[in-house]
Amino acid sequence: MRNANILISGASIAGPALAHWLIRYGFTVTVVEKAPALRLGGQAVDFKGETHRTVLARMGILDDVRRLQTGGTDQEIVDANGRTLAIMPGEFTGGDLEITRGDLSRLLYEKTAPSCAYVFGDSITSLTETPTGVHVTFERSSPRTFDLVVGADGIHSAVRRLAFGPESDYVRHLGHYYALVDLDEDFGPAAMMYNEPGRMVAIGGPKAPAFFVFASDRLDYDRYDAGQQKDILARVYAGVGWQVPAVMKAVHRAGDVYLDSISQVRIDRYSKGRVVLLGDSAYGNTLGGFGTGLAVVGAYVLAGELAAAGGDHHAAFAEYERQLRGYAKIAKNGNAGPFLAPATPAGIRLRNWIFKYRFLLALMMKMGDKLATDIELKTY
């Protein structure tokens, strides 16, 4: 096997999913993650359709995902007085299988940690390709040379920036931001969502962090500074009704905040030399409900093609690109921001109307399932 020593940047979903397959095929894998430990928080993620279930089954984790699934939760869309305007059913938001992102991340980590090296609290600072490998320097670790490097490090990928160019060349802001905040306060067992034009907040329900979506031009802030992110949320949601004032007090007392843009990656190719991109670093983050499925399917295809090509990265990366380019249009054509946080009262009413008429909802879900299965899986 050529090019058997592989570095993966990112230990969320895409990176460990790829590590799972590469280990199975006999590759030596190192995973580097900027966070000091596995990130176990975050919103629920879901899998849709036969393609996703098939990949999970071939990974040998389908039963584990079913065991850990949340089951999906109906969400009440309420007005300022708490009256229910519509119900967003759990099968709409949760797909066929819903699991918290943290549970899925831990599951993949536990399956792979005994057979590969995880390095937490470190990040890649430079990539220099040579005829026989990639010389990599790190923020903390000593420099090393790997045969191949995979950027599975999200929408703000350091690997993409180092190998392809600045983020501004490839990431397009779609006009909305979202935030996730784990609150200590209990806002009740029912999952509820409230809108005012351009702003949405969702609270309650099992294991769910508070979830915010709001319209905004590009913001300048430190993604690692929780205080700055809390200040942004406080400013955006000032004066909003319903339970939002109490929610914002809870946000102020919360420990961790995750605030990021709803953005789209537009890149002409997923690989450059010995470096290749996987998951959100390549396909973007539009909150359309397909990101996790894309990451897991992409990991299956990338590892399978590397194994099938005997480690020949030129052939493997080209075939990976051919298969995923069309499939990833799920993310390219999506943007959940205007749906979750409509800009006008009329837009909010129209969105709610969809959930009152089951045939429209069924049509949307059928379209989503079709997009999620729009790839012919090889057997490697």
Side-chain angles (χ1 to χ4, degrees), residues 6 14 17-22 25 27 51-52 54-56 58-59 150 270 276-279 283 292-313 315-328 372 374-380:
I6 298 179
L18 179 65
H20 171 93
W21 288 109
L22 291 175
Y25 296 136
F27 291 88
T51 297
H52 293 177
T54 297
V55 172
L56 294 175
R58 291 179 183 177
M59 291 178 76
V150 181
Y270 298 152
V276 65
L277 304 177
L278 173 68
Y283 326 133
T292 302
L294 274 171
V296 170
V297 173
Y300 171 80
V301 174
L302 176 57
E305 290 302 331
L306 278 168
D312 180 347
H313 64 287
F317 291 173
E319 183 60 16
Y320 161 68
E321 173 111 22
R322 187 192 69 79
Q323 292 189 59
L324 263 292
R325 178 63 68 175
Y327 188 53
D374 190 21
I375 186 173
E376 185 174 345
L377 289 178
K378 292 183 179 180
T379 300
Y380 297 103

Side-chain angles (χ1 to χ4, degrees), residues 28-334:
T28 299
V29 180
T30 301
V31 181
V32 62
E33 166 59 50
K34 184 177 181 67
L38 203 63
R39 294 174 176 173
L40 297 178
Q43 77 278 31
V45 298
D46 62 271
F47 297 99
K48 301 177 176 70
E50 182 63 27
T51 297
H52 293 177
R53 291 194 302 272
T54 297
V55 172
L56 294 175
R58 291 179 183 177
M59 291 178 76
I61 64 169
L62 180 58
D63 289 342
D64 294 303
V65 172
R66 284 175 170 155
R67 173 175 53 84
L68 295 168
Q69 67 178 311
T70 64
T73 304
D74 290 350
Q75 190 163 56
E76 299 178 26
I77 302 174
V78 300
D79 66 11
N81 296 313
R83 293 175 299 198
T84 301
L85 302 174
I87 300 291
M88 188 182 296
E91 61 265 27
F92 177 77
T93 57
D96 295 344
L97 288 169
E98 184 184 77
I99 181 173
T100 66
R101 194 208 63 80
D103 282 347
L104 180 60
S105 180
R106 181 174 55 243
L107 172 63
L108 293 170
Y109 171 76
E110 290 173 351
K111 294 286 186 181
T112 54
S115 304
C116 73
Y118 277 88
V119 180
F120 288 97
D122 206 351
S123 59
I124 298 171
T125 54
S126 73
L127 299 169
T128 304
E129 184 165 340
T130 71
T132 58
V134 183
H135 182 72
V136 182
T137 62
F138 299 91
E139 187 176 350
R140 292 182 172 84
S141 302
S142 299
R144 292 176 60 185
T145 297
F146 297 87
D147 296 322
L148 305 173
V149 175
V150 181
D153 45 353
I155 192 80
H156 303 293
S157 171
V159 169
R160 188 188 59 229
R161 173 175 52 82
L162 292 169
F164 291 80
E167 180 174 309
S168 58
D169 289 350
Y170 301 105
V171 178
R172 178 192 176 198
H173 175 54
L174 297 181
H176 287 78
Y177 280 79
Y178 72 100
L180 297 158
V181 187
D182 284 312
L183 304 179
D184 291 333
E185 286 84 345
D186 185 1
F187 285 91
M192 296 177 290
M193 184 173 110
Y194 175 72
N195 281 100
E196 290 187 9
R199 292 173 287 188
M200 182 277 282
V201 59
I203 57 173
K207 298 185 180 179
F211 180 39
F212 304 83
V213 176
F214 59 92
S216 174
D217 293 333
R218 190 182 298 276
L219 299 171
D220 183 17
Y221 67 99
D222 184 346
R223 290 188 296 110
Y224 300 99
D225 187 325
Q228 285 189 33
Q229 296 174 61
K230 290 177 183 180
D231 289 343
I232 289 170
L233 289 174
R235 183 174 67 251
V236 170
Y237 286 87
V240 176
W242 187 53
Q243 298 186 52
V244 174
V247 171
M248 297 316 299
K249 289 180 181 178
V251 168
H252 180 73
R253 293 188 292 267
D256 291 331
V257 177
Y258 183 84
L259 173 70
D260 207 346
S261 63
I262 300 178
S263 298
Q264 180 186 89
V265 175
R266 292 191 171 183
I267 195 163
D268 293 335
R269 60 194 189 281
Y270 298 152
S271 64
K272 185 176 182 181
R274 292 176 173 270
V275 178
V276 65
L277 304 177
L278 173 68
D280 280 350
S281 65
Y283 326 133
N285 176 18
T286 59
L287 285 193
F290 295 99
T292 302
L294 274 171
V296 170
V297 173
Y300 171 80
V301 174
L302 176 57
E305 290 302 331
L306 278 168
D312 180 347
H313 64 287
H314 297 291
F317 291 173
E319 183 60 16
Y320 161 68
E321 173 111 22
R322 187 192 69 79
Q323 292 189 59
L324 263 292
R325 178 63 68 175
Y327 188 53
K329 69 180 181 290
I330 301 170
K332 179 179 284 190
N333 297 332

